[in-house]
Amino acid sequence: MVIITNADANLSDPDDTSIRRPNPVVDDQVLERIRSILVASGITANMIDFPTDSMKGSCTLEMSTSDMVLDEVDIEKDTESKGRWGSWLGTKMGSSAMASRRNKLVVDTTDEYPIAEDVYNLFFLSKNWSLPFWYTIFTVCNKLSLFGVALYWIYKPDGFRDMQNERGETPPIVQATQFLLIPVAIGITEELMITMDVLSKMGWKKMENRPQATRLKYWIANTFRALDGLFWLLIITSLMLYAVDVLEMFLNFAALQFLQCVDNSAYEVAKGSYLTSALEFVAIEVSTTTLPSKRSSWKDYLDSLIFVTIVLLMVIAWALVNFLD
């Protein structure tokens, strides 16, 4: 049994059979950081019980020594009596408990979610006009510029689209493969999937220890992430719908896949401290920051609604390109 109190540790009493250790003062920022790490590791918010306002400050840890000894004896006896059957049963019970915790996580409407580890949230948590701020802007502009080059190469006069149209009609096997690749194209668009998840599962909140993470920066980051995903989806959809050969279509998918990883590589460079410690610090903050859940409302179905809508739009585009004279 672990008890958190405000009482000072009484280590001088020889009759006291409990273990008391005074802990250093824990401020709100440290508690918030610990809470974020626990939530990011999969522990639900309801399972976390930090000291309330009346209990903040120094605290002591009280654990009965006699209880510890008795628990150890009971564990040893229990292990000897169970044997292999007990070990198997314990494993099954542990698996059931883990499944129960997973189910609780699914239905928990007061939970918090860890934010995505990418340059967009690096921008969200960075201080205005700092090095991480400009680093993220440069990375996003670089990626969107590469997308622009690819789109120009596809739709320019005598570009990819015109060259493919000159090769004749699309064979039926290619048309069928294009249709099968529609959900795949959406699924591999990482930024679009993250945006759908953000819109349906989490919302912005004011963080006292991160005043630079404003609501405006939160929506700017998510807007540009959505534009990133939509531009990428437009590129691979264009390569798919104007292809006249299955193998070439697969090769085009693979050849341009590296464009989607530009921002991910930039984030890993920042987190790995290859450039400056300031970038590493903000990247580590991204990996431990959580935002409140928006579940148990109609917004929880936004991701499914957006996904189905995009699939329908792509099916319509596929039909127009292949069957409209």
Side-chain angles (χ1 to χ4, degrees), residues 91-103:
T91 303
K92 290 296 184 180
M93 293 176 64
S95 300
S96 300
M98 184 64 71
S100 177
R101 284 195 291 271
R102 292 195 193 101
N103 293 334

Side-chain angles (χ1 to χ4, degrees), residues 61-109:
L61 179 64
E62 181 177 327
M63 184 177 293
S64 173
T65 308
S66 58
D67 291 342
M68 294 172 60
V69 175
L70 291 175
D71 288 343
E72 292 178 357
V73 173
D74 292 341
I75 291 173
E76 291 179 359
K77 291 181 179 180
D78 190 57
T79 303
E80 292 177 359
S81 62
K82 283 184 177 180
R84 292 184 177 179
W85 172 256
S87 177
W88 176 84
L89 182 60
T91 303
K92 290 296 184 180
M93 293 176 64
S95 300
S96 300
M98 184 64 71
S100 177
R101 284 195 291 271
R102 292 195 193 101
N103 293 334
K104 183 179 180 181
L105 180 62
V106 171
V107 300
D108 188 5
T109 59

Side-chain angles (χ1 to χ4, degrees), residues 35-183:
R35 187 175 186 276
S36 299
I37 294 174
L38 292 175
V39 172
S41 64
I43 299 176
T44 62
N46 287 341
M47 298 169 62
I48 303 173
D49 187 16
F50 284 121
T52 59
D53 294 338
S54 62
M55 298 177 63
K56 290 178 182 177
S58 60
C59 56
T60 60
L61 179 64
E62 181 177 327
M63 184 177 293
S64 173
T65 308
S66 58
D67 291 342
M68 294 172 60
V69 175
L70 291 175
D71 288 343
E72 292 178 357
V73 173
D74 292 341
I75 291 173
E76 291 179 359
K77 291 181 179 180
D78 190 57
T79 303
E80 292 177 359
S81 62
K82 283 184 177 180
R84 292 184 177 179
W85 172 256
S87 177
W88 176 84
L89 182 60
T91 303
K92 290 296 184 180
M93 293 176 64
S95 300
S96 300
M98 184 64 71
S100 177
R101 284 195 291 271
R102 292 195 193 101
N103 293 334
K104 183 179 180 181
L105 180 62
V106 171
V107 300
D108 188 5
T109 59
T110 60
D111 206 355
E112 292 195 358
Y113 289 91
I115 62 177
E117 296 188 40
D118 57 13
V119 295
Y120 298 101
N121 282 324
L122 199 68
F123 169 83
F124 171 52
L125 295 183
S126 63
K127 294 182 179 180
N128 294 340
W129 324 121
S130 63
L131 177 61
F133 179 87
W134 292 113
Y135 177 80
T136 55
I137 291 178
F138 171 78
T139 301
V140 174
C141 291
N142 184 30
K143 184 176 184 180
L144 294 180
S145 298
L146 293 173
F147 283 174
V149 172
L151 286 172
Y152 174 74
W153 171 73
I154 294 173
Y155 289 100
K156 71 174 183 177
D158 297 329
F160 175 80
R161 181 182 61 173
D162 292 342
M163 289 189 296
Q164 295 297 98
N165 289 334
E166 292 175 357
R167 296 176 61 179
E169 295 184 357
T170 305
I173 183 63
V174 177
Q175 294 176 347
T177 307
Q178 291 172 353
F179 184 82
L180 295 176
L181 283 176
I182 288 176

Side-chain angles (χ1 to χ4, degrees), residues 32 35 39 43-46 104-115 197-206 218 289-301 303:
E32 181 66 22
R35 187 175 186 276
V39 172
I43 299 176
T44 62
N46 287 341
K104 183 179 180 181
L105 180 62
V106 171
V107 300
D108 188 5
T109 59
T110 60
D111 206 355
E112 292 195 358
Y113 289 91
I115 62 177
D197 193 61
V198 168
L199 292 176
S200 65
K201 290 183 173 60
M202 67 179 67
W204 177 85
K205 73 171 180 178
K206 184 177 181 180
Y218 174 77
T289 299
T290 59
L291 289 175
S293 168
K294 292 195 304 187
R295 304 192 70 167
S296 75
S297 67
W298 66 271
K299 294 181 180 180
D300 192 23
Y301 302 96
D303 51 352

Side-chain angles (χ1 to χ4, degrees), residues 192-219:
L192 198 57
M193 301 298 293
I194 294 175
T195 300
M196 289 188 280
D197 193 61
V198 168
L199 292 176
S200 65
K201 290 183 173 60
M202 67 179 67
W204 177 85
K205 73 171 180 178
K206 184 177 181 180
M207 293 175 278
E208 298 297 337
N209 57 334
R210 299 183 181 94
Q212 71 278 5
T214 62
R215 186 191 300 271
L216 176 61
K217 290 180 67 178
Y218 174 77
W219 285 114

